[in-house]
């Protein structure tokens, strides 16, 4: 019997990954940059025991049925790690808890799959490098590839499994950016990112977006290095809108925003006109990340939480990579 627990944080992409060159290996069409978010966290305990007769998965207090997509995704990742460790057929119990609503566009698969990978690898006695952990995490969820490293993370898209992994380009202490996360709905989104990626190339805007991506990556790195919040925010927002334009023009169209999403966007723009520096970004979903600086955080929170369509606010800041914890969930 061996048991390990890991905590990993989710992230928000600043320059987003959309579309895959290789679906099975999750090789992305483009590089991406994110900040890992301390405040959107998943804790996962994995126990392997030769007496178990099947894998068991509990997510947020509920047992996950073996025919569900979530269960199959977890088992597939356990299989990759079991194979690496030469322990095929050794079943596991997995218990995982999120500090935020899952499957609502807040990248819970990123923190979830990174935490699962770190906990399972440790429980199996695997000694993996950071690069290997990023690669293994990527195989389960693209976002997890960045969550596996922490800070300001650059996922180098690559062309092969070996060359597609993330690096921390600036650590979490480099620049104190705050993320006021606005939950306008905690209902599960109708389409997962994994499904959405498949239709990326069907948008007439996909190719033009790809053409400009490497320049955006270069520019964003520079703005982060210089801590130029205005240029940083304008670029992040522009990439978000370009990404959603690809979604809107995909076949079938992916219209993910809800009325509350627009209300938050309008308020962020209004605050900026008043000199309160904040910028929005939205992943595959409807909930909004309002990025700001520490001196504006309280005001941004106050302004956004009083909007009629806002359900709740979560505060996050730039966080580190996954950690192994001594305390287990069971
Ligand atoms: C819009 O990583 O959730 O958030 O690789 O299929 O697990 P899979 O998809 P996922 O896609 C993330 C899409 C995005 C952009 C980003 O995080 O870079």
């Amino acid at each position: 019997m061996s048991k390990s627990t890991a905590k990993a944080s989710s992230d928000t992409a600043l320059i987003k990954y959309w579309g895959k060159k290789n679906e099975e290996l999750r090789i992305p069409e483009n590089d991406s940059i994110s900040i890992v978010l301390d405040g959107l966290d998943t804790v996962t305990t994995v126990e392997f025991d030769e007496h178990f007769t099947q894998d068991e998965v509990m997510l947020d207090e509920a047992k996950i049925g073996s025919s569900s997509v979530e269960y199959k995704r977890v088992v597939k990742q356990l299989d990759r790690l079991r194979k690496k460790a030469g322990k095929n057929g050794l079943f596991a119990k997995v218990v995982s808890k999120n500090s935020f609503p899952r499957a609502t566009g807040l990248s819970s698969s990123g923190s979830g799959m990174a935490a699962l990978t770190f906990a399972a690898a440790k429980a199996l006695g695997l000694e993996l490098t950071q690069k290997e952990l990023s690669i293994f995490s990527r195989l389960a969820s693209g976002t997890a590839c960045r969550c596996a490293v922490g800070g300001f993370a650059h996922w180098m898209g690559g062309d092969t499994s070996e060359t597609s992994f993330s690096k921390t380009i600036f650590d979490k202490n480099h620049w104190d950016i705050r993320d006021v996360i606005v939950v306008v709905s905690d209902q599960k989104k109708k389409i997962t990112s994994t499904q959405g990626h498949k239709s990326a190339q069907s948008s007439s805007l996909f190719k033009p977006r790809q053409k400009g991506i490497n320049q955006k990556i270069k520019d964003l790195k520079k703005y982060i290095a210089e801590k130029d919040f205005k240029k940083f925010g304008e670029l992040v927002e522009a990439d978000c809108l370009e990404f959603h334009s690809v979604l809107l023009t995909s076949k079938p169209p992916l219209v993910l925003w809800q009325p509350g999403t627009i209300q938050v966007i309008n308020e962020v723009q209004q605050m900026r006109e008043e000199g309160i520096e904040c910028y929005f970004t939205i992943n595959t979903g409807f909930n909004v990340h309002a990025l700001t600086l520490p001196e504006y955080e309280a005001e941004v929170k106050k302004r956004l939480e009083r909007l009629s369509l806002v359900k709740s606010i979560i505060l996050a800041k730039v966080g580190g990579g996954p950690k192994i914890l001594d305390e287990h969930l069971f």
Side-chain angles (χ1 to χ4, degrees), residues 218-247:
K218 223 170 127 190
D219 290 344
L220 191 76
K221 277 183 168 178
K222 182 168 175 277
Y223 304 151
I224 297 171
E226 292 169 353
K227 302 183 189 171
D228 186 332
F229 193 62
K230 185 168 188 294
K231 286 193 177 144
F232 166 91
E234 283 172 358
L235 180 54
V236 168
E237 227 176 70
D239 187 62
C240 164
L241 292 171
E242 201 175 83
F243 157 66
H244 278 274
S245 305
V246 172
L247 296 186

Side-chain angles (χ1 to χ4, degrees), residues 58-181:
M58 298 254 318
L59 294 183
D60 293 329
E61 319 280 347
K63 191 170 171 182
I64 302 296
S66 57
S67 57
S68 74
V69 174
E70 278 175 318
Y71 179 89
K72 288 182 186 153
R73 201 166 174 181
V74 168
V75 169
K76 211 168 169 184
Q77 184 67 344
L78 292 173
D79 284 343
R80 290 184 187 105
L81 293 159
R82 283 188 277 238
K83 191 172 168 204
K84 174 85 178 165
K87 293 184 179 166
N88 289 336
L90 181 64
F91 292 111
K93 178 174 177 181
V94 176
V95 175
S96 187
K97 275 191 188 159
N98 291 297
S99 71
F100 60 103
R102 117 173 161 265
T104 64
L106 296 177
S107 305
S108 52
S109 65
S111 50
M113 288 302 166
L116 175 70
T117 304
F118 276 66
K122 177 93 172 55
L124 285 166
L126 285 168
E127 303 271 343
L128 300 178
T129 62
Q130 198 184 51
K131 178 178 162 184
E132 287 174 314
L133 284 161
S134 177
I135 290 173
F136 267 109
S137 299
R138 187 204 77 231
L139 290 166
S141 148
T143 304
C145 175
R146 296 180 310 238
C147 297
V149 302
F152 293 77
H154 180 184
W155 175 9
M156 293 147 299
D159 287 311
T160 60
S161 199
E162 274 299 295
T163 55
S164 188
F165 61 98
S166 301
K167 269 190 184 163
T168 299
I169 48 172
F170 297 97
D171 79 12
K172 62 176 184 172
N173 301 316
H174 167 70
W175 193 13
D176 190 3
I177 288 183
R178 301 297 168 91
D179 188 355
V180 179
I181 299 151

Side-chain angles (χ1 to χ4, degrees), residues 298-317:
E299 182 64 15
V300 170
K301 175 174 182 278
K302 199 170 98 194
R303 290 280 291 262
L304 294 174
E305 72 191 350
R306 68 181 188 209
L307 295 177
S308 61
L309 299 173
V310 168
K311 287 191 73 133
S312 60
I313 300 265
I314 303 167
L315 296 179
K317 56 186 177 180

Side-chain angles (χ1 to χ4, degrees), residues 11 13 15-18 20 26 32 73 107 109 140-144 146 193-194 197 243 283-284:
D11 74 355
I15 303 293
K16 299 188 190 296
Y17 132 65
W18 198 241
K20 295 174 191 164
R26 284 194 162 79
S32 55
R73 201 166 174 181
S107 305
S109 65
S141 148
T143 304
R146 296 180 310 238
S193 299
T194 303
H197 282 286
F243 157 66
N283 291 331
T284 5

